[in-house]
Amino acid sequence: MRILLLRVIAILVTFIGLYMLSQFVTYQMDPYYFQVLIECGVYIILAVSLNLINGITGQFSIGHAGFFAVGAYVGAAWTMIWQPMVVGRYSFLQMGTLHGDILNLLIALVLGMISAGMAGFVVGLPSLRLRGDYLAIATLGFAEVIYVLLLNINSVGGARGLNGIPTLISSGNLALFWIFLFVIISIVLSRNIMQSVRGLTWLSVREDEIAADAMGVDTTKVKVTAFVIGSALAGAAGVLYAHFLTGISPDIFSMNTSILITTMVVLGGSGSVTGSVIAATVLIVLPEMLRFLKNDRMVIYSVLLIVMMLTRPQGIFGTKEIGFPKWRRKQPKTEGRSA
Amino acid sequence: MKGIHRLVAGILGVGLILSGCGCRSHGVKIGGPGGLQEIPVGDFSSLTGDTATFGTSTHNGLALAIEQANAAGGVKDLPIKLYTEDDQSMPDVARTVVTKLITEDHVIAVVGEVASTRSLAAAPICQQYKIPMITPASTNPAVTQKGDYIFRTCFTDDFQAAVMAHFARDQGYKRVAVFKDIRNDYSMGIAKIFEAEFTNLGGTITGEQTYQEGDTDFKAQLNSLKGQNPDAVLIPGYYSEVGTIARQAREIGLNVPLLGCDGWDSPKLIQAAGNALNGCYFSDHYFSKDIKDPAMQKFFADYKAKYGYSPDALAALGFDAGNLLVDALKRAKSLTPADLRDAIATTKDFPGITGKITIDANRNARKAAIIMKIVGEKKVLYKVYTPEEIDQ
């Protein structure tokens, strides 16, 4: 009972804190820094969700932009195409008021997450047979299929993309609230998975799949679950990003984006949630900080990446976490992992 | 469960620190001219990424225009300072850099982007902060519909289509067939306007067929078009397929002239087509080394002197956008974005090297297009169409 009460209080505190922070920051912060902060948030969700698949379960997916795109386009399709069709019959769906905007955003989020999760299920299934490089190629292929499909579907604008998406998440200055709510959800979800018994089975799949199988772990279920949860979170990031940018086109979800997200996970240390968060922030903020270098910017950026990988091949954090161990009620034995 | 509290406290703390460093007092007078030592102008281009060549060309042209204006004494005794940002060929980065240009560098005007997707991403930001934006080369009609601060200094796809319709009539073609790329927004748009305009001018559209980008066999559609017995065939596609289409058309004995638009403008077109395109025509931006206009020749010389290679059409469009902006800055009552907007909106008969530019009520440029004729393996200037001729 006490724990339940504490939980409720903690969630309430998080909500109110985020709400106040979001109001405060939106009024006080320079718009450019604000934009970079939002972008950091979106990429933290993406990196942490890919870390679930790549880092914790040890699968090698390099097609995360595909799930990101599915979420973004399905979410935008709701607010731009489907909502206007049904709003006549269900007037409570009307946008423009705060509660109307929040309701529509929630519907977009649910639709985006379900469809991205379904896509994750479809991609997760071949991972029964494919391992390592082969799975990587399959996921890359999936992301390319999504990219080419989006280019060719006329109702979502083809190469020009969808423009004029209502800025639902900025309604009531809540942009930061929504983005960081999902940042917290993805971090807490990762942490809870890693520290639960169920999470140990995920880790076991990463460490030695055959041994895990022999011990009675349903490796197929583990892998597919990781894919579904990871891609649903990426879908949520897509919905939020689409409604922040107000315009999306397939270019945003090209292979470069997939590679960027994978780089974040690897740079931060595969398996480390803290690492993913830090690396995502660094990889978004660094190019902005280097803008004074003009044309040499991307060269310096790449050199910095190479230096970071050479000096710490296991990633910034390896498999370590900051803050997590103190919370553990039971210490799971995680020694003896191979990097 | 203490952990959750710590997490919350930690996030709040980090957020506060972040917001602390990013804090600026609001109500900064954006681009106010009071006490300015220079006129800040923003430029966002794709200097890296997929379409780096496009962005580099327009940026070079624009930088040359600003440099020449400063050498001639600047505007209102102030030099113009060009703030350039790279958008990595990404629409979301374009949005970020335009926000930066406006809120950090306090530019009073933004020039940018070739690709319509990136112009469409940046336009709402410029409109929101009421900073005039000039796109030198986005031909998609939707860009300038984003708001009254968004301008364009090249023609739109609609205009090109109308030019081709007039050209077809002037060539004496009565019956024209259309072969369009169903996956391409640009191709479909041009085909639609062309068909309406050509019918309006008394011509007959004998029929249309479609292909898809990436197809390699077009003979079935071409045979069907041949059966309609047209005087010419319009193929408003990109050079990548047009070469193959032309060769296959000749193979099946469809020997009428083929017509195209600026998507044909690539050295690779002739490589793919061989001599199959001999005697065909396409519309393009008013830019060619063959134009014996002194301003055009001077631009070729100046550009080559500064960068070491010859300019392309996009560089000329960037150069014109820069010069038009300089002209508007000179005419503006004061150096505020609102006055600058009014000055750009009232641009009339501005002598750009790519033709006289007049900004119309929809903030689009009205300017001439040229028809290029393919003779053997060369492209030669054949005809010029001014907006007035199209209006008749």
Side-chain angles (χ1 to χ4, degrees):
Chain A
M1 230 7 241
R2 208 171 139 259
I3 285 181
L4 185 70
L5 191 69
L6 273 173
R7 253 180 214 177
V8 171
I9 291 174
I11 291 171
L12 275 180
V13 168
T14 314
F15 264 80
I16 295 168
L18 263 181
Y19 175 76
M20 281 163 57
L21 186 69
S22 154
Q23 294 296 327
F24 175 74
V25 166
T26 314
Y27 283 121
Q28 288 297 314
M29 200 171 192
D30 186 283
Y32 168 56
Y33 289 92
F34 182 68
Q35 185 128 9
V36 176
L37 183 62
I38 295 286
E39 216 164 302
C40 280
V42 168
Y43 276 91
I44 290 175
I45 303 173
L46 289 168
V48 170
S49 60
L50 183 65
N51 185 52
L52 274 177
I53 303 171
N54 282 19
I56 299 177
T57 322
Q59 305 304 299
F60 197 61
S61 162
I62 48 175
H64 219 48
F67 306 116
F68 187 29
V70 169
Y73 269 85
V74 171
W78 164 257
T79 39
M80 290 195 69
I81 301 168
W82 300 324
Q83 191 265 0
M85 285 180 190
V86 295
V87 73
R89 209 175 313 155
Y90 306 102
S91 55
F92 61 93
L93 288 172
Q94 192 65 45
M95 281 185 265
T97 57
L98 184 60
H99 65 267
D101 283 357
I102 292 177
L103 180 65
N104 275 295
L105 182 64
L106 287 175
I107 296 173
L109 274 168
V110 168
L111 291 177
M113 286 177 78
I114 289 177
S115 30
M118 270 159 43
F121 182 73
V122 171
V123 178
L125 280 181
S127 65
L128 309 178
R129 291 159 186 249
L130 300 175
R131 274 175 209 177
D133 310 350
Y134 306 103
L135 178 65
I137 293 167
T139 53
L140 185 65
F142 163 76
E144 280 300 292
V145 166
I146 296 289
Y147 177 71
V148 174
L149 270 180
L150 293 176
L151 276 179
N152 288 296
I153 299 176
N154 270 330
S155 55
V156 294
R160 195 178 9 134
L162 279 171
N163 280 288
I165 304 167
T167 49
L168 294 183
I169 73 167
S170 304
S171 171
N173 293 324
L174 288 176
L176 201 79
F177 172 82
W178 287 111
I179 303 269
F180 280 85
L181 180 65
F182 273 86
V183 168
I184 293 178
I185 289 176
S186 52
I187 294 175
V188 170
L189 198 68
S190 298
R191 165 191 171 271
N192 286 355
I193 286 172
M194 279 175 85
Q195 298 186 357
S196 65
V197 177
R198 192 160 301 230
L200 287 179
T201 64
W202 291 31
L203 289 172
S204 72
V205 170
R206 176 181 75 184
E207 297 309 332
D208 193 332
E209 207 180 315
I210 297 169
D213 225 352
M215 294 300 289
V217 173
D218 187 348
T219 54
T220 308
K221 195 175 152 199
V222 166
K223 289 193 279 187
V224 173
T225 316
F227 260 102
V228 170
I229 295 179
S231 44
L233 283 173
V239 175
L240 296 172
Y241 204 36
H243 288 90
F244 177 73
L245 285 181
T246 73
I248 48 173
S249 59
D251 309 7
I252 301 178
F253 310 101
S254 66
M255 203 173 88
N256 290 343
T257 309
S258 291
I259 302 290
L260 178 66
I261 305 167
T262 314
T263 313
M264 286 167 177
V265 173
V266 176
L267 183 73
S270 287
S272 167
V273 180
T274 322
S276 298
V277 173
I278 304 277
T281 314
V282 168
L283 288 191
I284 293 300
V285 173
L286 196 61
E288 296 299 330
M289 281 170 64
L290 292 175
R291 282 208 177 271
F292 69 92
L293 289 170
K294 301 282 164 201
N295 292 349
D296 302 325
R297 182 171 72 104
M298 293 322 276
V299 178
I300 303 291
Y301 174 71
S302 320
V303 169
L304 283 177
L305 276 186
I306 294 170
V307 170
M308 278 194 252
M309 280 333 294
L310 281 179
T311 46
R312 273 194 76 79
Q314 70 275 50
I316 298 175
F317 276 83
T319 47
K320 291 191 193 69
E321 301 287 359
I322 290 185
F324 282 17
K326 293 176 193 155
W327 308 339
R328 283 184 186 159
R329 273 163 290 171
K330 284 176 238 156
Q331 285 276 339
K333 289 259 182 285
T334 52
E335 283 87 27
R337 276 183 210 162
S338 58
Chain B
M1 284 325 287
K2 259 185 184 169
I4 297 280
H5 297 286
R6 275 193 206 162
L7 179 71
V8 173
I11 287 165
L12 285 175
V14 170
L16 283 173
I17 293 165
L18 274 175
S19 61
C21 16
C23 267
R24 291 281 167 90
S25 60
H26 262 238
V28 172
K29 202 175 174 194
I30 294 168
L36 277 186
Q37 298 301 305
E38 56 194 17
I39 303 170
V41 168
D43 156 33
F44 69 109
S45 312
S46 48
L47 300 176
T48 58
D50 296 343
T51 52
T53 58
F54 292 176
T56 311
S57 285
T58 50
H59 166 69
N60 285 350
L62 174 64
L64 182 66
I66 302 291
E67 189 186 289
Q68 290 181 353
N70 284 340
V75 174
K76 297 189 164 94
D77 295 327
L78 291 173
I80 300 168
K81 170 98 198 263
L82 188 64
Y83 290 88
T84 302
E85 292 296 352
D86 169 28
D87 63 26
Q88 294 155 249
S89 305
M90 299 278 282
D92 48 344
V93 182
R95 190 186 147 101
T96 308
V97 296
V98 169
T99 310
K100 174 184 181 286
L101 286 169
I102 294 174
T103 62
E104 298 295 300
D105 302 326
H106 305 296
V107 298
I108 62 168
V110 172
V111 179
E113 264 293 4
V114 177
S116 295
T117 46
R118 270 140 19 215
S119 295
L120 282 168
I125 303 288
C126 293
Q127 183 63 31
Q128 181 192 341
Y129 288 100
K130 303 231 176 298
I131 299 292
M133 169 178 147
I134 301 176
T135 168
S138 292
T139 51
N140 193 298
V143 174
T144 45
Q145 289 159 12
K146 285 279 167 191
D148 60 348
Y149 274 76
I150 317 298
F151 298 90
R152 162 187 1 244
T153 56
C154 57
F155 53 60
T156 60
D157 292 342
D158 296 2
F159 176 73
Q160 259 195 104
V163 164
M164 283 319 284
H166 279 76
F167 173 72
R169 182 200 54 183
D170 296 349
Q171 286 292 104
Y173 305 143
K174 297 264 183 293
R175 300 161 54 78
V176 175
V178 176
F179 192 30
K180 61 188 180 184
D181 180 352
I182 197 167
R183 286 189 184 175
N184 188 333
D185 218 32
Y186 158 87
S187 188
M188 298 291 281
I190 288 180
K192 194 172 143 208
I193 303 283
F194 176 87
E195 286 167 14
E197 192 77 22
F198 190 61
T199 317
N200 223 2
L201 292 169
T204 310
I205 301 291
T206 57
E208 51 175 40
Q209 282 291 332
T210 59
Y211 66 95
Q212 299 193 352
E213 200 182 331
D215 283 359
T216 50
D217 183 16
F218 307 94
K219 284 185 182 158
Q221 297 102 307
L222 288 169
N223 265 316
S224 150
L225 290 176
K226 187 187 168 195
Q228 296 164 3
N229 200 17
D231 297 330
V233 180
L234 176 80
I235 311 175
Y238 285 148
Y239 63 90
S240 35
E241 281 82 28
V242 168
T244 322
I245 293 175
R247 264 192 294 110
Q248 295 185 0
R250 300 317 181 213
E251 278 166 27
I252 63 155
L254 180 65
N255 289 320
V256 297
L258 307 178
L259 311 175
C261 291
D262 67 338
W264 282 27
D265 186 9
S266 163
K268 290 188 180 139
L269 178 70
I270 309 288
Q271 282 173 22
N275 60 359
L277 281 172
N278 193 9
C280 295
Y281 306 89
F282 65 94
S283 62
D284 208 343
H285 298 278
Y286 186 82
F287 173 82
S288 161
K289 226 179 167 170
D290 297 341
I291 298 173
K292 292 286 174 249
D293 172 36
M296 181 76 83
Q297 296 299 328
K298 181 173 182 301
F299 171 68
F300 264 89
D302 289 348
Y303 190 94
K304 199 156 184 192
K306 185 166 159 64
Y307 300 107
Y309 48 90
S310 288
D312 55 10
L314 288 173
L317 290 171
F319 184 72
D320 270 357
N323 280 329
L324 187 139
L325 178 64
V326 171
D327 175 66
L329 282 166
K330 284 180 182 159
R331 285 187 291 110
K333 270 180 275 164
S334 72
L335 291 177
T336 56
D339 282 341
L340 180 59
R341 190 215 88 87
D342 294 343
I344 299 172
T346 52
T347 302
K348 196 162 184 303
D349 290 336
F350 171 77
I353 56 165
T354 59
K356 272 189 186 161
I357 301 171
T358 298
I359 300 291
D360 67 13
N362 297 321
R363 298 171 303 284
N364 293 321
R366 304 193 42 73
K367 67 200 279 195
I370 54 174
I371 304 288
M372 300 290 280
K373 182 178 186 181
I374 299 172
V375 180
E377 298 204 341
K378 281 214 176 84
K379 290 176 258 185
V380 293
L381 178 63
Y382 183 72
K383 209 167 182 182
V384 178
Y385 277 93
T386 60
E388 292 72 33
E389 290 173 75
I390 301 303
D391 285 343
Q392 288 165 12

